[in-house]
Amino acid sequence: HTQAKEQRTREQRANEQKKKLLRLESYDVMSKTHRNSTFIPDTLETINAEERLKVLNRERICFIRNILSQEGFLNQNENEARICIGRGPISFPDGMVRKGGIFLFDDLLTLARKLVGNRCYRNEEVVEFKDNAEDKIPGGIEIDL
């Protein structure tokens, strides 16, 4: 009886570890110098195919919406199909508040100044991707802050 109970406990721990790994595998740190920048490797196809990834994407977007201004672009322009691609810290060259965050989605890029570390961002600047810039500008676009 105790062996069966121990086996179930080991299986439960293994399942919990597997769930944690599945949750963590969705995030990928891309650079040793920017350890806080995360890029999500999920594609539109994988997110639409797996309910678990849909939920994770909704949670990421909800988190970002909550730390940005309630009157900001992201909260005023909800899009159920929006995909969070990445986020990370940035530095602004001027202003009283120089630290900020960059939030990359499949349809827009948001820059905001950090008021409280990873809790409150304001003064959003939004760049919407209305056209495929790669077709118009072969080298891509450089955003100079």
Side-chain angles (χ1 to χ4, degrees):
H1 180 67
T2 57
Q3 286 180 347
K5 188 175 181 180
E6 288 176 11
Q7 178 66 24
R8 279 193 303 264
T9 304
R10 281 195 297 269
E11 288 174 2
Q12 286 174 340
R13 277 192 234 129
N15 285 336
E16 288 172 12
Q17 288 294 330
K18 190 183 283 187
K19 285 180 184 177
K20 285 180 185 178
L21 288 174
L22 288 173
R23 187 174 277 268
L24 291 174
E25 80 179 8
S26 185
Y27 286 96
D28 189 25
V29 177
M30 299 300 288
S31 169
K32 290 181 182 176
T33 58
H34 299 289
R35 293 176 191 257
N36 292 334
S37 298
T38 54
F39 292 91
I40 293 90
D42 306 332
T43 63
L44 180 61
E45 293 80 20
T46 59
I47 288 176
N48 286 332
E50 294 186 41
E51 186 62 31
R52 174 184 63 83
L53 294 178
K54 285 182 189 177
V55 171
L56 283 174
N57 185 60
R58 281 194 298 266
E59 288 175 358
R60 289 182 198 118
I61 293 173
C62 183
F63 173 77
I64 294 169
R65 285 178 50 212
N66 286 336
I67 62 176
L68 293 174
S69 170
Q70 296 304 308
E71 295 84 30
F73 184 88
L74 205 59
N75 280 300
Q76 299 299 317
N77 298 283
E78 291 185 42
N79 180 352
E80 290 292 322
R82 183 170 286 140
I83 296 175
C84 178
I85 297 173
R87 68 185 187 113
I90 60 170
S91 296
F92 289 92
D94 58 359
M96 297 259 315
V97 179
R98 294 193 177 205
K99 291 184 178 183
I102 184 168
F103 307 95
L104 179 61
F105 302 92
D106 63 326
D107 62 337
L108 61 99
L109 173 75
T110 301
L111 309 168
R113 294 182 190 262
K114 185 188 312 185
L115 295 182
V116 179
N118 209 26
R119 291 192 184 150
C120 184
Y121 291 80
R122 295 291 185 264
N123 300 334
E124 296 175 36
E125 297 176 32
V126 176
V127 178
E128 289 186 83
F129 307 131
K130 294 184 182 199
D131 298 316
N132 186 351
E134 194 66 36
D135 291 340
K136 296 182 179 184
I137 306 169
I141 296 175
E142 179 180 337
I143 299 173
D144 187 20
L145 301 174

mmCIF file of all heavy atoms in Angstrom, residues 2 7 15 35 40 44 55 59 65 71 81 85 108 120 123 125 130:
data_model
loop_
_atom_site.group_PDB
_atom_site.id
_atom_site.type_symbol
_atom_site.label_atom_id
_atom_site.label_comp_id
_atom_site.label_asym_id
_atom_site.label_seq_id
_atom_site.Cartn_x
_atom_site.Cartn_y
_atom_site.Cartn_z
ATOM 1 N N THR A 2 1.922 1.293 0.839
ATOM 2 C CA THR A 2 2.787 2.468 0.890
ATOM 3 C C THR A 2 3.608 2.619 -0.385
ATOM 4 O O THR A 2 3.906 3.737 -0.786
ATOM 5 C CB THR A 2 3.735 2.396 2.101
ATOM 6 O OG1 THR A 2 4.497 1.195 2.029
ATOM 7 C CG2 THR A 2 2.974 2.469 3.402
ATOM 8 N N GLN A 7 4.621 5.695 -5.249
ATOM 9 C CA GLN A 7 4.652 5.744 -6.711
ATOM 10 C C GLN A 7 3.765 6.880 -7.223
ATOM 11 O O GLN A 7 4.157 7.639 -8.105
ATOM 12 C CB GLN A 7 4.197 4.395 -7.294
ATOM 13 C CG GLN A 7 4.159 4.365 -8.804
ATOM 14 C CD GLN A 7 5.536 4.499 -9.435
ATOM 15 O OE1 GLN A 7 6.552 4.195 -8.822
ATOM 16 N NE2 GLN A 7 5.562 4.991 -10.644
ATOM 17 N N ASN A 15 4.787 14.959 -12.893
ATOM 18 C CA ASN A 15 3.824 15.728 -13.687
ATOM 19 C C ASN A 15 3.924 17.218 -13.400
ATOM 20 O O ASN A 15 3.823 18.042 -14.301
ATOM 21 C CB ASN A 15 2.401 15.232 -13.432
ATOM 22 C CG ASN A 15 2.126 13.913 -14.112
ATOM 23 O OD1 ASN A 15 2.771 13.566 -15.097
ATOM 24 N ND2 ASN A 15 1.166 13.165 -13.579
ATOM 25 N N ARG A 35 19.599 39.827 -20.075
ATOM 26 C CA ARG A 35 18.976 38.668 -19.443
ATOM 27 C C ARG A 35 17.500 38.873 -19.160
ATOM 28 O O ARG A 35 16.766 37.915 -19.029
ATOM 29 C CB ARG A 35 19.711 38.317 -18.159
ATOM 30 C CG ARG A 35 21.106 37.832 -18.428
ATOM 31 C CD ARG A 35 21.845 37.595 -17.130
ATOM 32 N NE ARG A 35 23.252 37.393 -17.418
ATOM 33 C CZ ARG A 35 23.828 36.217 -17.410
ATOM 34 N NH1 ARG A 35 23.149 35.154 -17.124
ATOM 35 N NH2 ARG A 35 25.101 36.107 -17.695
ATOM 36 N N ILE A 40 9.398 35.126 -27.186
ATOM 37 C CA ILE A 40 8.581 33.931 -27.141
ATOM 38 C C ILE A 40 8.658 33.260 -28.506
ATOM 39 O O ILE A 40 8.318 33.867 -29.516
ATOM 40 C CB ILE A 40 7.122 34.275 -26.761
ATOM 41 C CG1 ILE A 40 7.056 34.796 -25.309
ATOM 42 C CG2 ILE A 40 6.236 33.064 -26.860
ATOM 43 C CD1 ILE A 40 7.201 36.246 -25.151
ATOM 44 N N LEU A 44 2.136 31.672 -34.699
ATOM 45 C CA LEU A 44 0.686 31.759 -34.806
ATOM 46 C C LEU A 44 0.081 30.366 -34.945
ATOM 47 O O LEU A 44 -0.932 30.051 -34.318
ATOM 48 C CB LEU A 44 0.306 32.637 -36.004
ATOM 49 C CG LEU A 44 -1.177 32.848 -36.263
ATOM 50 C CD1 LEU A 44 -1.834 33.522 -35.074
ATOM 51 C CD2 LEU A 44 -1.393 33.651 -37.517
ATOM 52 N N VAL A 55 -3.658 30.042 -23.772
ATOM 53 C CA VAL A 55 -3.829 30.536 -22.404
ATOM 54 C C VAL A 55 -2.593 31.309 -21.963
ATOM 55 O O VAL A 55 -2.697 32.406 -21.391
ATOM 56 C CB VAL A 55 -4.126 29.367 -21.438
ATOM 57 C CG1 VAL A 55 -4.080 29.827 -19.994
ATOM 58 C CG2 VAL A 55 -5.480 28.748 -21.760
ATOM 59 N N GLU A 59 -2.393 35.240 -20.924
ATOM 60 C CA GLU A 59 -1.845 35.645 -19.628
ATOM 61 C C GLU A 59 -0.742 36.683 -19.800
ATOM 62 O O GLU A 59 -0.665 37.652 -19.037
ATOM 63 C CB GLU A 59 -1.314 34.437 -18.871
ATOM 64 C CG GLU A 59 -2.394 33.533 -18.333
ATOM 65 C CD GLU A 59 -1.841 32.263 -17.695
ATOM 66 O OE1 GLU A 59 -0.607 32.047 -17.704
ATOM 67 O OE2 GLU A 59 -2.659 31.473 -17.188
ATOM 68 N N ARG A 65 -0.956 44.422 -20.184
ATOM 69 C CA ARG A 65 -2.042 45.403 -20.118
ATOM 70 C C ARG A 65 -2.195 45.957 -18.717
ATOM 71 O O ARG A 65 -2.491 47.133 -18.522
ATOM 72 C CB ARG A 65 -3.360 44.778 -20.574
ATOM 73 C CG ARG A 65 -3.448 44.599 -22.074
ATOM 74 C CD ARG A 65 -4.719 43.939 -22.526
ATOM 75 N NE ARG A 65 -5.882 44.582 -21.945
ATOM 76 C CZ ARG A 65 -6.994 43.937 -21.638
ATOM 77 N NH1 ARG A 65 -7.104 42.649 -21.829
ATOM 78 N NH2 ARG A 65 -8.009 44.592 -21.127
ATOM 79 N N GLU A 71 -5.565 53.830 -19.669
ATOM 80 C CA GLU A 71 -6.007 54.661 -20.785
ATOM 81 C C GLU A 71 -5.099 54.485 -21.997
ATOM 82 O O GLU A 71 -5.259 55.159 -23.000
ATOM 83 C CB GLU A 71 -6.012 56.145 -20.391
ATOM 84 C CG GLU A 71 -7.011 56.498 -19.312
ATOM 85 C CD GLU A 71 -6.472 56.223 -17.907
ATOM 86 O OE1 GLU A 71 -5.254 56.307 -17.689
ATOM 87 O OE2 GLU A 71 -7.284 55.893 -17.029
ATOM 88 N N ALA A 81 -6.727 38.274 -31.240
ATOM 89 C CA ALA A 81 -5.763 37.543 -32.060
ATOM 90 C C ALA A 81 -4.325 38.016 -31.825
ATOM 91 O O ALA A 81 -3.392 37.444 -32.391
ATOM 92 C CB ALA A 81 -6.122 37.694 -33.539
ATOM 93 N N ILE A 85 5.175 38.716 -28.599
ATOM 94 C CA ILE A 85 6.406 38.147 -29.143
ATOM 95 C C ILE A 85 7.563 38.298 -28.164
ATOM 96 O O ILE A 85 8.395 37.412 -28.031
ATOM 97 C CB ILE A 85 6.746 38.799 -30.503
ATOM 98 C CG1 ILE A 85 5.642 38.471 -31.507
ATOM 99 C CG2 ILE A 85 8.108 38.345 -31.001
ATOM 100 C CD1 ILE A 85 5.768 39.181 -32.819
ATOM 101 N N LEU A 108 2.055 45.338 -33.216
ATOM 102 C CA LEU A 108 2.518 46.642 -32.744
ATOM 103 C C LEU A 108 3.716 46.508 -31.819
ATOM 104 O O LEU A 108 4.034 45.421 -31.333
ATOM 105 C CB LEU A 108 1.388 47.401 -32.036
ATOM 106 C CG LEU A 108 0.775 46.768 -30.789
ATOM 107 C CD1 LEU A 108 1.362 47.378 -29.538
ATOM 108 C CD2 LEU A 108 -0.720 47.003 -30.823
ATOM 109 N N CYS A 120 4.522 49.309 -13.059
ATOM 110 C CA CYS A 120 3.779 50.475 -13.528
ATOM 111 C C CYS A 120 4.588 51.213 -14.599
ATOM 112 O O CYS A 120 5.694 51.673 -14.339
ATOM 113 C CB CYS A 120 3.490 51.395 -12.347
ATOM 114 S SG CYS A 120 2.488 52.811 -12.768
ATOM 115 N N ASN A 123 3.441 56.897 -20.188
ATOM 116 C CA ASN A 123 3.923 57.616 -21.364
ATOM 117 C C ASN A 123 4.250 56.653 -22.505
ATOM 118 O O ASN A 123 5.348 56.610 -23.029
ATOM 119 C CB ASN A 123 5.149 58.477 -21.044
ATOM 120 C CG ASN A 123 4.864 59.516 -19.993
ATOM 121 O OD1 ASN A 123 3.724 59.939 -19.826
ATOM 122 N ND2 ASN A 123 5.878 59.923 -19.269
ATOM 123 N N GLU A 125 4.515 54.955 -26.074
ATOM 124 C CA GLU A 125 4.690 55.309 -27.474
ATOM 125 C C GLU A 125 4.429 54.032 -28.253
ATOM 126 O O GLU A 125 5.010 52.992 -27.959
ATOM 127 C CB GLU A 125 6.096 55.827 -27.739
ATOM 128 C CG GLU A 125 6.415 57.109 -26.997
ATOM 129 C CD GLU A 125 7.855 57.547 -27.196
ATOM 130 O OE1 GLU A 125 8.421 57.290 -28.273
ATOM 131 O OE2 GLU A 125 8.403 58.137 -26.267
ATOM 132 N N LYS A 130 1.244 48.290 -39.828
ATOM 133 C CA LYS A 130 0.115 48.205 -40.748
ATOM 134 C C LYS A 130 0.506 47.557 -42.063
ATOM 135 O O LYS A 130 -0.307 46.973 -42.742
ATOM 136 C CB LYS A 130 -0.468 49.592 -41.002
ATOM 137 C CG LYS A 130 -1.073 50.163 -39.742
ATOM 138 C CD LYS A 130 -1.732 51.466 -39.982
ATOM 139 C CE LYS A 130 -2.241 51.944 -38.638
ATOM 140 N NZ LYS A 130 -3.233 52.913 -38.697
#
